[in-house]
Amino acid sequence: MALTFVDIFLSLLIYDLLFTLQFLYATETNRQFHPSSIVTSPDEQAKKIIRSLNSFAHNNTVIVNDNSSVIGASRLVERRFKFPFLPLSSPFPENNRHHAGYYPLPNTKGARMFYFFFESRNNNNDDPIVLWLSGGPGGSGSIALFYENGPFLITEQHTLISNDYGWDKISNIIYVDQPTGTGFSYTTDNSDIRHDLTAVSNDLYHFLQEFFNKRSELSQKDFFITGQSYAGHYVPALASRIQQGNEAEEGIPIRLKGIAIGNGHTNPGIQYPSIPRYALSRLLINQSEYQRIDKDLIPQCKSSTKDCDKGIDINDCLTAYVKCNDIVQAIRDATGNLNFYDTRRQRIGTSNFDYTNMVAFLNMQSVKTALGVGDITFVAWSSTVFGQMIGEYMKNLDVKIPPLLKDGIKVLIYVGEFDLICNWIGNLDWVTEMEWDGKKKFNVAPINLFRVDGEKVGSLISYGPLAFFKVFNASHMVPTDQPKTAYHMIQRWMKGELK
């Protein structure tokens, strides 16, 4: 029987009452590591994470009054749109090639998935289809659209400028607000809020089936799934679902050619223990602090994630979530207000990212009217979605990747070097430990410098369909920090030229 949010709430609350462990983003300044007696519910824990990213909104609306039914519905409701406040100067992305829409999710009481679709800016018939998935869980696709690789970048004045390195120059790109309750996606009934990756992947698969049914000419194009952070879970899960559907001739064949994950949260059991090693290498903690964490916290994290991956009891995954986040808290105790997603900087207050310009822009009535989203309040991150998906957070998803590699589907793992949480060391650890046919040859492959216009911008390890790219001078959001590098990286990779 499917677990509800109440089940998860009670499980983690009981766990916290028994073990009274300190939560991830508390703001202790004492450099001595010690457990705390703070007790919080999963929903409150989620809200603390969202607040730390400066993206939590008090009006975290998911349930919307809507009398129309979506049981058995499958038709996309879409419109061409033009954002207000666009500059008159050119060049600027063509507005008649921009689309926004809702997909009524089948087999739900009232769930609607919001998406943006931007046709190739260059109108190149050879350009593939790219799907971008933001992380979280609960992060809107609009984060990437307006701050990373979309056609536009948002200004302090809440207007838009053209992005010279938008991925719509080399692809037809889709940004989706998912799972239900993220961004502009909503439902009329809270039973539609997803709590597992199987349901999330099925929703995305059904959306893609209808998308390609509506645009049959695009179904013949190569298809790539991309994303960052918690998309290290989303992307392998969806790719596996597409592979399954194609093999079963379940619907329209999707020409999946590759997946790309940036600063991904993919194998927590390997990645969390790498965090203190990365912190020590960057001199964020000292040797004594590292040894305490290594002795007192890492064994518990490793043990609990192994229990979680057995899939016997959801409580094991909640235990792993708390145990492994104690590692992060110990480093927070030692580093104070450091930005864990960009270790070159301090946080502003308790904020790592500032999406307030985007939130203000998308909540303008003129913008919502252009997009056809009604009176929904846009939030960059949803604590409701995070709370529901927390039972999946500590699971290992790299197990979905070897069957993709066996079928010749390309896999790119790229990581900005200054991210602590999803750092390059932990990502390289799970990539090299992953069991697949080319493991031995990949692990002895040379490290090559990657250049753009003669400048060294990263290092690359590759063998067969697998590539690992360390991006210089970048943090958690690579396309934000190094847009030119990200643009050339993804372009060459999709063309099979990332060597």
Side-chain angles (χ1 to χ4, degrees):
M1 182 175 67
L3 286 167
T4 66
F5 180 67
V6 174
D7 297 322
I8 297 174
F9 177 94
L10 292 175
S11 297
L12 193 54
L13 183 59
I14 291 170
Y15 178 87
D16 281 338
L17 287 170
L18 289 172
F19 295 94
T20 59
L21 295 172
Q22 193 168 29
F23 178 63
L24 174 62
Y25 286 103
T27 55
E28 295 287 341
T29 57
N30 184 358
R31 293 177 65 85
Q32 297 297 317
F33 162 68
H34 56 276
S36 168
S37 59
I38 296 173
V39 180
T40 55
S41 71
D43 190 52
E44 282 304 309
Q45 290 186 344
K47 289 178 182 178
K48 288 182 180 179
I49 289 178
I50 302 306
R51 289 192 191 102
S52 76
L53 296 172
N54 196 34
S55 51
F56 176 76
H58 292 293
N59 186 5
N60 194 23
T61 304
V62 174
I63 309 302
V64 175
N65 292 325
D66 187 338
N67 293 325
S68 58
S69 173
V70 298
I71 296 176
S74 61
R75 187 174 62 86
L76 294 177
V77 180
E78 183 183 279
R79 65 166 67 188
R80 286 190 177 93
F81 73 92
K82 177 181 179 180
F83 278 126
F85 318 122
L86 298 182
L88 298 177
S89 60
S90 61
F92 203 79
E94 295 182 39
N95 295 303
N96 63 355
R97 305 180 70 82
H98 301 165
H99 311 267
Y102 275 107
Y103 172 55
L105 289 170
N107 305 312
T108 64
K109 293 184 179 180
R112 284 169 171 78
M113 180 184 288
F114 178 79
Y115 67 96
F116 285 105
F117 171 56
F118 299 94
E119 298 180 53
S120 172
R121 198 183 308 188
N122 295 326
N123 196 23
N124 188 337
N125 289 329
D126 294 329
D127 284 347
I129 308 293
V130 168
L131 173 69
W132 176 272
L133 302 175
S134 289
S140 169
S142 292
I143 295 171
L145 168 57
F146 292 107
Y147 291 95
E148 299 189 74
N149 53 23
F152 317 100
L153 296 174
I154 196 159
T155 72
E156 292 290 335
Q157 293 72 38
H158 303 163
T159 60
L160 304 177
I161 59 175
S162 178
N163 183 2
D164 292 338
Y165 297 105
W167 290 7
D168 64 314
K169 282 188 168 183
I170 51 176
S171 70
N172 303 274
I173 190 164
I174 309 166
Y175 299 90
V176 183
D177 280 348
Q178 62 86 44
T180 299
T182 301
F184 279 128
S185 293
Y186 71 92
T187 182
T188 61
D189 193 287
N190 59 17
S191 65
D192 292 335
I193 306 300
R194 302 309 192 193
H195 63 267
D196 64 87
L197 286 167
T198 298
V200 168
S201 299
N202 282 332
D203 286 345
L204 284 167
Y205 182 77
H206 293 147
F207 162 72
L208 291 171
Q209 286 291 313
E210 188 60 27
F211 181 86
F212 287 123
N213 181 58
K214 178 180 177 67
R215 295 180 173 86
S216 58
E217 73 283 0
L218 297 183
S219 67
Q220 304 304 312
K221 291 181 175 290
D222 291 347
F223 180 74
F224 296 89
I225 312 171
T226 63
Q228 75 187 14
S229 200
Y230 191 76
H233 274 53
Y234 290 146
V235 172
L238 175 59
S240 178
R241 178 65 180 88
I242 290 173
Q243 188 180 42
Q244 172 191 330
N246 285 346
E247 291 174 352
E249 299 181 351
E250 187 174 335
I252 297 172
I254 298 175
R255 292 172 55 87
L256 178 63
K257 296 298 181 180
I259 64 172
I261 302 169
N263 288 77
H265 174 80
T266 303
N267 187 331
I270 291 176
Q271 290 180 253
Y272 269 92
S274 78
I275 292 175
R277 281 194 288 132
Y278 176 89
L280 182 63
S281 73
R282 292 271 295 141
L283 303 180
L284 306 177
I285 58 176
N286 60 40
Q287 186 68 37
S288 176
E289 289 162 341
Y290 172 80
Q291 289 175 347
R292 285 202 300 271
I293 296 170
D294 185 56
K295 176 184 177 181
D296 297 336
L297 301 181
I298 288 180
Q300 297 180 56
C301 174
K302 287 182 176 180
S303 175
S304 61
T305 53
K306 287 180 181 178
D307 291 340
C308 174
D309 285 332
K310 292 176 183 178
I312 298 173
D313 189 343
I314 191 173
N315 291 311
D316 293 330
C317 292
L318 302 177
T319 298
Y321 177 80
V322 175
K323 294 285 188 181
C324 291
N325 278 318
D326 278 343
I327 295 172
V328 182
Q329 180 56 48
I331 298 174
R332 174 64 69 205
D333 290 344
T335 58
N337 208 38
L338 185 72
N339 187 328
F340 281 4
Y341 295 90
D342 187 344
T343 54
R344 298 167 296 183
R345 299 179 172 88
Q346 293 288 300
R347 297 186 295 177
I348 302 173
T350 58
S351 301
N352 292 301
F353 302 121
D354 184 358
Y355 301 132
T356 53
N357 291 327
M358 175 189 67
V359 172
F361 178 79
L362 289 177
N363 278 311
M364 291 180 179
Q365 190 55 54
S366 58
V367 173
K368 292 197 285 188
T369 298
L371 297 177
V373 297
D375 294 327
I376 297 173
T377 299
F378 175 85
V379 291
W381 294 70
S382 168
S383 62
T384 300
V385 172
F386 187 96
Q388 284 283 29
M389 292 292 295
I390 200 170
E392 297 279 81
Y393 197 82
M394 299 304 297
K395 292 183 178 179
N396 171 27
L397 263 290
D398 76 21
V399 295
K400 301 285 187 181
I401 294 178
L404 304 174
L405 294 168
K406 188 174 183 179
D407 277 0
I409 295 171
K410 295 185 293 185
V411 175
L412 169 63
I413 308 300
Y414 66 92
V415 192
E417 65 174 332
F418 291 116
D419 182 5
L420 170 69
I421 296 297
C422 299
N423 63 76
W424 72 268
I425 294 174
N427 269 283
L428 184 58
D429 281 350
W430 76 253
V431 169
T432 54
E433 291 187 30
M434 180 176 61
E435 296 294 338
W436 67 291
D437 293 343
K439 176 180 178 178
K440 290 183 179 180
K441 291 186 177 180
F442 178 88
N443 289 353
V444 297
I447 301 174
N448 296 305
L449 288 173
F450 184 80
R451 291 178 171 85
V452 174
D453 295 336
E455 181 183 357
K456 298 173 184 177
V457 297
S459 59
L460 176 69
I461 304 171
S462 66
Y463 174 76
L466 180 61
F468 180 88
F469 190 108
K470 179 183 176 182
V471 185
F472 298 160
N473 297 314
S475 59
H476 190 71
M477 298 169 69
V478 169
T480 299
D481 291 343
Q482 298 297 330
K484 185 177 181 179
T485 298
Y487 177 91
H488 286 279
M489 173 193 71
I490 206 74
Q491 181 184 42
R492 294 188 204 179
W493 173 70
M494 291 191 299
K495 290 183 176 181
E497 300 172 355
L498 188 66
K499 300 178 180 178

